[in-house]
Amino acid sequence: MHPKRPEWRLFAIPEANMHANNPVRRMLEPPVARSLCRTGLLVGSWDLAVPGQHEVKIVISGVGDGPDGLTDSWQKSLGLLDNKYREKTVWQQIEIEVDSPETSAQIFDRDITGVYTYLPKCGTACNSLHKRILDSEGDAVDSREPDLYFFLDSTRTRDGSWDQFVFSTSMRRYEYDECRPIVAKLDPQWRQSDEKSTRVTCRVDWVWVQLDDIRSQPDSLYGVLSNEENITIDEDSCAKAQALLTCSVYLGDDPSPLWPIDCWLEIDKLHEREYLRLMTWMLQRIRNVSHDAQWKTVELSESLQKRHCHCERCAPTPPAILWYKREKGRGSDIRAVEDSRQAAPFERALKARPTAFQIHVQYSSDDKHGKVVIGINPATLIHQAASHLPPRPSPIEAAWRLDTSYTPLPLIAKPPFTIPSNRHDEPAEQPEGFKLNLRPEQLRSLKWMQHQEDTAEPFIEEEICEGTSDHLGWRLEGRARKPVSVLGGVLADQVGYGKTAIMLGLIATRNAKRLAKERHAPPGKILAKATCVIVPAHLVLQWKGEVTKFIKLIGKHSPKVVTLHQGSDINSTTVEDILDADIVIVASSMPNSEHYLDNLGSFAGVALPNKAGRYFNARLDEAHKKLASQVELLQKEGGVKDAHKVIKGAHENASHQEHFVQLKRLKGRAYAEANEEKSKMLKNPSADRERSDSAAAGPSKSSRSAIKESEPSKNPLTVRPVLKPVQRTGLGPQPTRTFIGVSLPTLKQVLERENLSGIKEASSSKSRGKRRLAARRSVIVDSDDSDDLTSEPSSGKSHLRSSSQGSQDEYQGGSDDDSDTEEELEPSSEDDVVVISDEESDVPRRKKPVAKKVAKKPLNPVLKSEDN
């Protein structure tokens, strides 16, 4: 639609089985009916397009005399060297006249007569654009009507001889399946020339006939949210959207297949463009939604303010960061990875967040109306914006705005950054206790710094989240703001201006002792009156000399200065020295020194890595948190001893502070060792050491006899049931297996721990295979009573058995011929090791080895002695 002449157009769609070159298909490309919107969107008469060939002779004449009225043609401007193009010219202005004005008024939709000016640089084919500037009487054209253009309209696929000049109100390039509104066409043989006058045939394929009996009757309802609507946001406001625009339009008996019948459908982002193109004629009303794109404040509920506007639905908590060690050459590289068990729910929660815009459509079969509801959800954007603000105690101010004429900008225009001048500020008084007087410009800077320290304007922390709908042309923004009182600023005077003297003047004018008494120290910190000055290492002594040069007294005493030039200076500095000092000068390189980091980690009880990076920053944050708790301990009575205990315990368990995860699946011996280390970290290290020693004694004869002779109450292995007792068929009570979180060590560990000479000297391959199998099996505690796991066995002794009867004989030192079992598991590979722990493991379990039946001697329930 042209903005100066809006109209409804009705198109006829040809049948799908009609071939592409059918003349009927080309005939139905332009609209078959139209309705001009005279005074309203649906107020106007309908015109019907009647096909027919109508021809009128027109005269095209050049305006002007001689070479002054001519200009270069597009061939000459391109530099074509052909003789017929080298000097070719065309008229700058042309005049069009019609032979029979009465006939032309009946067949032409617009008056085409008048004067046209040539516009060769407007991007049409062959630089052929002409614009009508005067009518047939020599008057200016009516500005209320759309402009009329005369240019060459090229076809898409045909030869260039089919291109013809047309009269149209639109000169833009049209996409496929679009139709240009054409008033008239010229003979395809006519082209621009320098001839003074030419006579050409003008054709019209359609004639518009007005239908007086047909009128447009509106049958639609619109509802729009007003600007004065007040919105209160609480925890559940983001769960539903506010209906901004509702529309109900009559669609008849045969709606589009995209309309859901008798049910509401929410349009997702994937199908939003398809649906909105279908409903463009309905949603033109949204351009008149009177939202001025101004911020509108909203009230946050008291409960939401207490939670710092945190909403798990709109801003889910990100997964925790875990660390894994990647072996790299001779060293190792520690990298961050998200917790996989938290990452998947977090990603799903992000995808399920409420959207800023919601569009619902429905077709009602009762009244045959299509209904469209467009809603906005500013609460979810405000919740998301508030989640990015730091958690400070100050209240949050929320607002939102809607722009219904949004156009994406390639770049955001930012105002230039300027530093304000204090040339017109009032100067401060000379600092008390100063040896030298400051210059007037220095006093003006000092006055501004004193103002920043006393009554500075609050800094506004602001976060904005937006949601856009490019197909609607809407943008919705949610804003969260929080005022923060920040004292201080940046003194940006030029080099040599005397910034050091101004800073010392500010220190001298501050009554540090009074300020220190009036304030309360935050938890985990000790409040000191001193001013900390951080400078490069080569300026530490220079600053100390500047203090002596400028400041004579601070209050009633001379200034006390403490310098921390390198990490070793911390050992000779006490807390009392910092509390008594007026100025503490610290080298900027000292916090990065190895000595300082070692002292920090030792006092906080946190092992800091040697390499900088994300892992170092995470451990440093943990050290700062532990440091606060240590400071609180030192301020209590007897806190020094408690702090020493914490430091000692941290150093003893330094190896268990760094928790690394495995990214790949472990197998065999690596799997067993990883689970053993995990069990040691989760339990008491000393108890785990005793359990491992007891479990390692499985293959040893001496340890087997010791366990046999010991009482259950003295058994160091704590039996904790994990699996329910399983009743097995057979005569007599069957033993119940209860797994414990201890695994047998490897063969190398058995040799080192037990120092068994007999195992070292064994050379038989069969014996070595059995010992390897015994070293890989998990320990199982058997009880003769299947009903009560905590009761004593019938024999009054505790027995250690392997996961198969074949392994039992190996623990007891039996040979192949003296085996007491009927079935045994043959040794396979170290990949078949299964470690079953009483703690839930996030590493997948391996499949148990398949048992193979081997014929053996009858079961002997009596344990054989060492001699047998």
Side-chain angles (χ1 to χ4, degrees):
M1 294 186 186
H2 198 281
K4 294 183 179 180
R5 193 182 183 184
E7 62 182 24
W8 291 98
R9 296 172 184 171
L10 180 63
F11 292 86
I13 301 176
E15 295 182 359
N17 56 2
M18 187 180 298
H19 61 83
N21 295 328
N22 194 309
V24 178
R25 185 179 292 274
R26 187 175 297 108
M27 186 184 300
L28 296 179
E29 287 181 357
V32 297
R34 70 179 182 182
S35 175
L36 300 179
C37 303
R38 304 287 184 184
T39 58
L41 185 63
L42 297 175
V43 179
S45 60
W46 280 86
D47 300 334
L48 182 64
V50 179
Q53 293 290 336
H54 304 275
E55 296 182 357
V56 177
K57 294 294 183 177
I58 63 174
V59 179
I60 303 177
S61 306
V63 178
D65 296 328
D68 295 338
L70 297 174
T71 184
D72 296 339
S73 64
W74 68 272
Q75 295 95 337
K76 184 179 179 180
S77 61
L78 290 177
L80 299 181
L81 301 179
D82 198 305
N83 293 331
K84 62 181 179 180
Y85 300 137
R86 185 179 300 176
E87 301 296 334
K88 185 177 180 179
T89 58
V90 294
W91 291 100
Q92 295 184 7
Q93 289 185 349
I94 59 175
E95 184 177 2
I96 298 178
E97 298 176 350
V98 182
D99 288 349
S100 55
E102 297 178 358
T103 305
S104 63
Q106 296 177 0
I107 63 175
F108 289 154
D109 186 30
R110 291 278 304 274
D111 183 14
I112 64 174
T113 60
V115 179
Y116 292 76
T117 184
Y118 182 44
L119 304 174
K121 297 182 180 180
C122 289
T124 54
C126 301
N127 297 341
S128 60
L129 182 64
H130 295 74
K131 182 180 178 181
R132 184 170 178 256
I133 57 175
L134 300 176
D135 57 10
S136 58
E137 298 180 357
D139 299 330
V141 297
D142 189 0
S143 59
R144 296 173 297 179
E145 292 290 332
D147 295 330
L148 188 62
Y149 301 97
F150 176 64
F151 57 92
L152 181 65
D153 187 18
S154 59
T155 59
R156 288 184 177 273
T157 57
R158 290 190 175 186
D159 187 71
S161 59
W162 288 86
D163 299 344
Q164 53 190 343
F165 275 77
V166 298
F167 296 91
S168 177
T169 58
S170 175
M171 64 175 183
R172 71 176 181 89
R173 179 176 298 177
Y174 279 74
E175 300 291 339
Y176 178 75
D177 205 19
E178 287 185 330
C179 178
R180 186 187 305 276
I182 296 177
V183 179
K185 302 178 182 179
L186 295 189
D187 191 340
Q189 298 180 358
W190 186 87
R191 292 294 184 270
Q192 293 175 268
S193 65
D194 55 356
E195 297 182 10
K196 182 61 178 178
S197 177
T198 56
R199 190 180 182 87
V200 64
T201 302
C202 184
R203 296 185 177 88
V204 177
D205 298 333
W206 301 83
V207 177
W208 295 101
V209 179
Q210 185 174 356
L211 303 176
D212 298 331
D213 298 335
I214 299 178
R215 290 288 186 270
S216 300
Q217 181 178 359
D219 189 12
S220 60
L221 298 175
Y222 290 89
V224 180
L225 184 68
S226 63
N227 281 334
E228 290 76 16
E229 187 74 18
N230 294 326
I231 300 177
T232 303
I233 295 180
D234 54 11
E235 296 86 345
D236 299 328
S237 297
C238 58
K240 56 184 178 180
Q242 298 283 339
L244 179 66
L245 175 68
T246 60
C247 175
S248 177
V249 181
Y250 179 77
L251 298 179
D253 298 329
D254 189 16
S256 172
L258 297 178
W259 287 93
I261 300 176
D262 295 333
C263 64
W264 286 99
L265 173 65
E266 182 179 358
I267 303 175
D268 54 5
K269 285 290 184 182
L270 185 61
H271 303 88
E272 180 178 338
R273 180 179 182 181
E274 184 179 6
Y275 273 89
L276 291 181
R277 289 189 63 180
L278 172 68
M279 297 179 293
T280 302
W281 61 278
M282 298 172 52
L283 300 180
Q284 286 300 320
R285 176 68 180 272
I286 67 177
R287 295 297 180 183
N288 297 327
V289 176
S290 57
H291 280 268
D292 50 3
Q294 299 295 326
W295 289 106
K296 303 170 183 60
T297 59
V298 297
E299 297 180 1
L300 299 179
S301 62
E302 184 178 356
S303 58
L304 194 61
Q305 287 281 11
K306 292 181 179 179
R307 297 170 51 187
H308 301 285
C309 202
H310 177 70
C311 177
E312 196 68 26
R313 184 187 296 109
C314 303
T317 304
I321 298 298
L322 304 179
W323 307 95
Y324 74 95
K325 185 179 293 185
R326 175 188 175 190
E327 300 297 334
K328 188 177 181 181
R330 296 184 178 181
S332 59
D333 186 15
I334 300 176
R335 297 189 178 184
V337 64
E338 293 180 346
D339 190 350
S340 59
R341 290 172 293 186
Q342 300 178 9
F346 174 72
E347 293 293 339
R348 290 193 294 267
L350 282 182
K351 295 178 180 179
R353 287 190 302 182
T355 58
F357 296 99
Q358 294 185 14
I359 304 176
H360 296 262
V361 295
Q362 181 197 37
Y363 173 76
S364 177
S365 59
D366 297 335
D367 53 3
K368 300 179 182 179
H369 276 66
K371 300 177 182 179
V372 181
V373 178
I374 301 179
I376 59 174
N377 194 346
T380 182
L381 298 180
I382 293 176
H383 288 170
Q384 295 175 28
S387 65
H388 299 302
L389 292 175
R392 304 185 191 275
S394 54
I396 297 177
E397 301 174 358
W400 68 279
R401 70 178 177 182
L402 175 65
D403 186 5
T404 56
S405 300
Y406 165 67
T407 302
L409 298 177
L411 294 175
I412 300 177
K414 298 181 179 179
F417 178 75
T418 58
I419 301 177
S421 174
N422 63 354
R423 185 181 300 273
H424 304 289
D425 294 349
E426 296 181 0
E429 298 179 358
Q430 292 291 340
E432 297 180 1
F434 235 51
K435 298 179 180 180
L436 303 176
N437 292 333
L438 297 179
R439 300 190 301 271
E441 59 270 15
Q442 292 176 321
L443 292 176
R444 289 197 299 266
S445 298
L446 178 60
K447 182 69 174 181
W448 174 80
M449 295 175 67
Q450 292 175 352
H451 173 74
Q452 290 295 115
E453 290 286 336
D454 295 335
T455 57
E457 296 181 0
F459 176 76
I460 304 299
E461 294 179 334
E462 180 179 284
E463 290 288 344
I464 297 177
C465 290
E466 69 173 11
T468 61
S469 178
D470 297 335
H471 308 295
L472 282 175
W474 286 14
R475 179 179 66 177
L476 181 65
E477 295 176 287
R479 184 182 70 184
R481 309 176 74 179
K482 183 179 292 187
V484 180
S485 298
V486 179
L487 302 180
V490 177
L491 182 61
D493 290 337
Q494 296 181 358
V495 178
Y497 202 79
K499 295 185 291 297
T500 303
I502 300 174
M503 293 294 299
L504 294 177
L506 178 65
I507 297 173
T509 55
R510 301 292 91 183
N511 193 342
K513 289 185 177 181
R514 181 179 58 82
L515 295 177
K517 292 180 180 179
E518 292 179 356
R519 297 177 184 176
H520 299 282
K525 294 179 175 59
I526 300 176
L527 188 61
K529 66 177 182 179
T531 300
C532 182
V533 181
I534 302 177
V535 296
H538 64 280
L539 297 179
V540 173
L541 299 180
Q542 178 181 342
W543 260 81
K544 185 177 182 180
E546 294 290 327
V547 174
T548 307
K549 175 182 177 181
F550 284 97
I551 302 178
K552 181 178 181 180
L553 295 175
I554 295 181
K556 297 182 179 181
H557 64 277
S558 59
K560 297 180 180 179
V561 182
V562 174
T563 58
L564 298 177
H565 193 276
Q566 52 189 355
S568 59
D569 295 339
I570 300 177
N571 297 337
S572 58
T573 304
T574 62
V575 178
E576 288 77 9
D577 295 337
I578 301 297
L579 294 177
D580 295 338
D582 296 308
I583 301 176
V584 178
I585 305 175
V586 182
S588 59
S589 59
M590 191 205 59
N592 297 326
S593 63
E594 183 178 356
H595 193 86
Y596 172 81
L597 295 176
D598 290 342
N599 287 347
L600 176 62
S602 299
F603 183 71
V606 176
L608 296 176
N610 298 327
K611 187 177 180 181
R614 290 187 61 186
Y615 183 64
F616 175 83
N617 296 336
R619 298 290 294 173
L620 186 61
D621 293 341
E622 185 178 353
H624 289 161
K625 295 178 182 178
K626 297 290 184 64
L627 187 64
S629 61
Q630 289 287 81
V631 172
E632 292 182 1
L633 282 178
L634 290 176
Q635 294 178 349
K636 299 179 181 178
E637 294 183 2
V640 178
K641 295 182 179 179
D642 296 337
H644 278 292
K645 290 181 181 179
V646 174
I647 295 174
K648 184 178 180 181
H651 281 281
E652 291 178 354
N653 300 328
S655 59
H656 298 291
Q657 291 185 5
E658 298 180 343
H659 305 292
F660 299 108
V661 296
Q662 296 290 342
L663 294 185
K664 63 180 182 179
R665 185 174 179 178
L666 302 179
K667 299 180 179 180
R669 181 179 300 176
Y671 180 89
E673 292 177 354
N675 265 322
E676 186 175 1
E677 292 296 331
K678 181 180 179 181
S679 300
K680 288 182 179 180
M681 289 188 296
L682 296 177
K683 303 172 186 177
N684 188 359
S686 59
D688 286 339
R689 195 177 300 111
E690 295 176 2
R691 294 180 183 178
S692 300
D693 295 341
S694 303
S700 174
K701 296 181 181 180
S702 59
S703 61
R704 184 181 67 250
S705 59
I707 295 176
K708 181 178 179 181
E709 295 174 0
S710 62
E711 295 296 332
S713 59
K714 299 180 181 180
N715 193 345
L717 294 175
T718 303
V719 180
R720 286 176 290 179
V722 176
L723 301 179
K724 295 182 178 180
V726 180
Q727 298 291 343
R728 294 184 292 181
T729 59
L731 298 177
Q734 300 294 335
T736 301
R737 296 181 176 180
T738 304
F739 292 83
I740 62 175
V742 188
S743 60
L744 288 178
T746 59
L747 180 60
K748 181 178 179 181
Q749 294 174 342
V750 173
L751 294 176
E752 294 176 355
R753 190 175 299 175
E754 300 296 338
N755 197 14
L756 302 177
S757 58
I759 298 180
K760 289 183 179 179
E761 297 174 358
S763 59
S764 173
S765 60
K766 186 179 298 185
S767 300
R768 287 198 301 270
K770 291 184 178 182
R771 283 193 294 269
R772 291 194 188 97
L773 178 62
R776 294 200 308 266
R777 296 305 178 194
S778 57
V779 178
I780 300 174
V781 177
D782 286 355
S783 174
D784 293 337
D785 192 355
S786 61
D787 296 330
D788 188 5
L789 295 176
T790 58
S791 61
E792 296 183 359
S794 57
S795 59
K797 305 289 179 65
S798 297
H799 303 275
L800 285 177
R801 302 183 66 186
S802 68
S803 58
S804 65
Q805 295 288 350
S807 302
Q808 172 69 31
D809 291 313
E810 295 165 6
Y811 285 139
Q812 296 173 356
S815 63
D816 234 11
D817 298 334
D818 299 331
S819 176
D820 296 336
T821 63
E822 295 179 350
E823 298 180 0
E824 84 174 25
L825 297 177
E826 294 183 358
S828 55
S829 64
E830 294 186 357
D831 293 342
D832 293 332
V833 174
V834 179
V835 178
I836 304 175
S837 173
D838 57 344
E839 302 289 341
E840 287 293 330
S841 175
D842 54 351
V843 184
R845 302 175 183 270
R846 294 192 59 84
K847 186 178 179 181
K848 295 183 179 180
V850 181
K852 296 183 179 180
K853 294 185 179 181
V854 181
K856 297 296 178 179
K857 293 183 179 181
L859 181 64
N860 186 4
V862 181
L863 294 176
K864 295 183 179 181
S865 63
E866 297 182 5
D867 298 336
N868 293 334

